[in-house]
């Protein structure tokens, strides 16, 4: 609901899909995972009810690409 132009670019060693994407309300391109594809213990829910990812529990880093 918050991302657009989502493209799978890689897979981590344990098999998590890694994507490049843009946020609908932010400028820039980012790299990370989709919350519905990762272990539930790494998913947090923010005050607005949106899922977010605790990257410290994954072998994938969240990155700003451009």
């Amino acid at each position: 609901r918050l991302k657009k132009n989502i493209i799978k670019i890689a897979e981590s060693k344990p098999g998590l899909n890694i994507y490049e994407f843009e946020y609908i309300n932010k400028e820039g391109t980012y790299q990370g995972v989709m919350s519905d594809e990762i272990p539930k213990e790494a998913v947090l829910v923010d005050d607005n009810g949106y899922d977010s990812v605790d990257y410290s529990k994954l072998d994938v880093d969240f990155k700003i690409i451009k």
Side-chain angles (χ1 to χ4, degrees), residues 2 23-27:
L2 298 175
Y23 284 105
I24 292 171
N25 296 322
K26 282 186 182 180
E27 289 200 26

Side-chain angles (χ1 to χ4, degrees), residues 8 10-18 33 37-39 57-61:
K8 182 180 173 184
E11 193 173 296
S12 71
K13 288 183 182 182
L16 296 176
N17 293 324
I18 302 170
V33 297
E37 296 182 350
I38 62 173
K57 296 183 178 177
L58 302 176
D59 71 326
V60 175
D61 293 323

Side-chain angles (χ1 to χ4, degrees), residues 7 9 11 13 18 24 33-34 40-43 65-66:
I7 302 167
I9 58 169
E11 193 173 296
K13 288 183 182 182
I18 302 170
I24 292 171
V33 297
M34 299 294 130
K40 297 296 178 203
E41 62 268 10
V43 178
I65 297 173
K66 48 184 165 174

Side-chain angles (χ1 to χ4, degrees), residues 4-10 18-22 30 32 34:
K4 64 182 181 178
N5 301 326
I6 301 167
I7 302 167
K8 182 180 173 184
I9 58 169
I18 302 170
Y19 296 92
E20 184 175 295
F21 55 87
E22 298 171 0
Y30 301 83
M34 299 294 130

